[in-house]
Amino acid sequence: MVDFTLTDEQQNLREMAHDFAEKEIRPVAWEYDKDGTFPEEIIKKAWEVGLMNSHVPEAYGGVHASTLDGCLIEEELSWGCSGIQTTLGCNGLASAPVILAGSEEIKREYLGRLIEEPLLASFCLTEPDAGSDVSGMRTTAVKKGDKYVINGSKVFITNGGYANWYTVYAKTDKEAGHRGISAFVVPRDAGVVVDKKEDKLGQRASNTAAISFNDVEVPASHLLGEENQGFKLAMMTLDRTRPGVAAMAVGIARAAMEFATEYAKERVQFGVPIAMHQGIQFMIADMATEVEAARLLAWKSAVLLDQGKRNTMVSSHAKRFAADAAMKVTTDAVQVYGGYGFIKEYPVEKLFRDAKIMQLYEGTSQIQRLVIARETLVPRRAGSGAPNAAAATSSNGATPAKEPSAA
Ligand code: COS
């Protein structure tokens, strides 16, 4: 039976996140956007009330919230400010590969750090010449005795300037394409260099940095899963995080729709509030449908994961549709405001800028279409493609990450 009713606990969680967004995020969001202020105080408060790291399993001190619960939080906080939510939610992206393939020792140490203190972690996949084409990465990790030595540069790293530790993807076999990539946990004090902070169009409160590794050494035990299985680990991670990104896009779209709706009821032209004009009504109606449909896809992609099923295609549907919906709804919200929508003094200008990144990060809208087309034309069988699917135990003693069965 399909039932879209949230439990009492889920409704409470949603209300709690909304309350936080309304009281702690909204009042400073437009101010932080102006100068690109990093939300340090908000991080501490969100961590204290349990709105960060909800994904961490109980064994490592977390509450192990479901993916759907995570989506509820992400939509509300993103309704407050998606730049600030990107900062608060990034630990989920960075730690997914650790949860999937890290050894007990690594999980205890690095997930434990996030629970003990309001620390941040970053996910380092993208490079100057390797964005959508992950296999084109040039960062290398060379095994020397019981260590790996990492060299290379990463770009567009969320929280990169502030992270305590990083999940880093590097080539361990340069000739093997996607089959030559491995993933590592790299603590900042191993020698990670922060090269620069990017000055961005939108989500300006989030920190986006270029970082580099110059002969950075990590113990061999910091390898996540098997050597040369990092590409699949990255893909499995993105399957897990794209539902939350879709929920964030829903939060932006909903905020823009609410502002546009209120404005349409107040703004008078031709002797009546513009909400009385059918041209505006149809724009508001389309916004409402886009928000509703995007949320349903985000929830479906989350629930599949929570049921232990593979969600690759649905998470791409959700991420693609919700990101494009956020862009469309915010563009139309600017249109409803008319010339005022183009002015920084009015709220929808920021939302329009913030929405753009949703079509870019964690896989562009074109990459999502590529995934959807492949999954539609040549469906992958269940169980294929898991990093450790072939291995009973991985070389570092980690619990093998299993790819969920097909939906
Ligand atoms: N789960 C598990 N395994 C997966 C997978 C998934 N979701 N998707 C692909 N794989 C596996 C495939 O089964 C294949 O396995 P084999 O080596 O055993 O054959 C392998 O990974 C390579 O898959 P594929 O041939 O589809 O890889 P491509 O190089 O063609 O790349 C895309 C596929 C383009 C979809 C991928 O590179 C991608 O998602 N790019 C975008 C990356 C991104 O989101 N960047 C943003 C920054 S991250 S914040």
Side-chain angles (χ1 to χ4, degrees):
M1 188 170 113
V2 178
D3 183 355
F4 299 106
T5 316
L6 298 178
T7 63
D8 288 347
E9 289 77 29
Q10 286 170 328
Q11 282 180 35
N12 290 341
L13 182 67
R14 196 188 211 183
E15 271 166 35
M16 200 261 263
H18 184 78
D19 203 48
F20 187 89
E22 196 163 43
K23 296 201 174 93
E24 306 292 345
I25 298 180
R26 272 275 171 103
V28 295
W30 277 261
E31 203 52 43
Y32 281 23
D33 170 73
K34 224 181 270 168
D35 303 324
T37 309
F38 192 64
E40 296 206 68
E41 286 308 309
I42 299 178
I43 294 169
K44 283 189 202 131
K45 286 180 189 165
W47 180 84
E48 270 163 25
V49 299
L51 286 171
M52 285 177 73
N53 307 312
S54 60
H55 58 282
V56 172
E58 282 162 1
Y60 310 103
V63 294
H64 203 193
S66 67
T67 316
L68 180 60
D69 290 351
C71 284
L72 300 177
I73 296 175
E74 279 155 324
E75 180 182 330
E76 296 311 316
L77 299 188
S78 186
W79 170 90
C81 172
S82 61
I84 294 174
Q85 162 52 24
T86 290
T87 310
L88 300 176
C90 183
N91 282 358
L93 174 64
S95 48
V98 175
I99 293 170
L100 279 167
S103 66
E104 272 306 301
E105 187 196 343
I106 290 292
K107 285 181 189 165
R108 200 154 286 139
E109 171 63 33
Y110 290 95
L111 299 176
R113 285 188 191 189
L114 303 180
I115 298 301
E116 275 155 31
E117 272 180 81
L119 295 176
L120 300 172
S122 290
F123 182 80
C124 305
L125 185 65
T126 303
E127 298 189 2
D129 296 320
S132 295
D133 179 12
V134 174
S135 310
M137 72 172 57
R138 294 198 189 146
T139 296
T140 55
V142 177
K143 193 158 187 198
K144 290 205 173 135
D146 59 355
K147 291 193 165 91
Y148 282 93
V149 183
I150 303 176
N151 278 289
S153 302
K154 298 283 175 181
V155 290
F156 309 149
I157 306 306
T158 299
N159 291 343
Y162 293 86
N164 176 267
W165 58 269
Y166 302 79
T167 314
V168 180
Y169 293 82
K171 281 271 168 83
T172 30
D173 182 347
K174 281 197 233 173
E175 313 306 322
H178 74 261
R179 293 189 178 133
I181 295 170
S182 302
F184 302 88
V185 169
V186 180
R188 186 190 186 104
D189 58 15
V192 178
V193 175
V194 179
D195 297 315
K196 71 163 175 166
K197 174 197 165 191
E198 304 294 354
D199 188 8
K200 307 191 299 275
L201 172 75
Q203 296 207 346
R204 291 173 53 77
S206 79
N207 174 265
T208 306
I211 62 172
S212 55
F213 306 88
N214 306 309
D215 287 330
V216 169
E217 291 187 354
V218 291
S221 61
H222 282 46
L223 170 70
L224 297 172
E226 296 285 315
E227 208 178 69
N228 298 328
Q229 295 287 323
F231 182 90
K232 288 183 189 176
L233 192 53
M235 293 303 115
M236 289 175 70
T237 295
L238 295 172
D239 284 351
R240 280 155 181 75
T241 54
R242 284 174 183 158
V245 177
M248 285 177 62
V250 175
I252 300 173
R254 197 180 107 215
M257 179 181 77
E258 287 173 10
F259 281 122
T261 305
E262 284 313 304
Y263 185 78
K265 288 194 242 172
E266 285 162 16
R267 170 79 171 162
V268 174
Q269 290 290 278
F270 302 104
V272 290
I274 59 172
M276 300 291 283
H277 300 303
Q278 204 177 52
I280 299 292
Q281 288 174 9
F282 283 5
M283 272 196 271
I284 302 278
D286 284 352
M287 288 180 194
T289 307
E290 298 268 343
V291 167
E292 194 70 18
R295 184 185 293 117
L296 288 178
L297 276 175
W299 284 15
K300 181 175 178 187
S301 65
V303 167
L304 283 175
L305 263 189
D306 292 337
Q307 291 173 338
K309 294 177 181 160
R310 195 155 73 79
N311 73 337
T312 304
M313 174 138 86
V314 185
S315 79
S316 282
H317 280 317
K319 204 288 186 170
R320 199 291 287 164
F321 187 85
D324 290 353
M327 200 65 249
K328 183 174 185 322
V329 171
T330 55
T331 304
D332 284 351
V334 170
Q335 196 68 21
V336 169
Y337 272 72
Y340 291 113
F342 203 60
I343 307 287
K344 286 193 179 288
E345 209 181 312
Y346 291 83
V348 289
E349 180 266 355
K350 170 183 180 290
L351 300 178
F352 170 79
R353 288 186 286 104
D354 287 348
K356 186 61 210 172
I357 191 66
M358 308 312 292
Q359 295 179 309
L360 301 170
Y361 67 14
E362 294 204 31
T364 62
S365 292
Q366 289 66 34
I367 286 295
Q368 307 310 327
R369 286 182 173 91
L370 190 73
V371 171
I372 294 163
R374 285 183 184 181
E375 294 278 328
T376 304
L377 292 164
V378 194
R380 259 179 335 120
R381 67 189 166 77
S384 68
N388 295 316
T393 51
S394 68
S395 60
N396 62 5
T399 316
K402 292 237 168 51
E403 196 182 7
S405 57

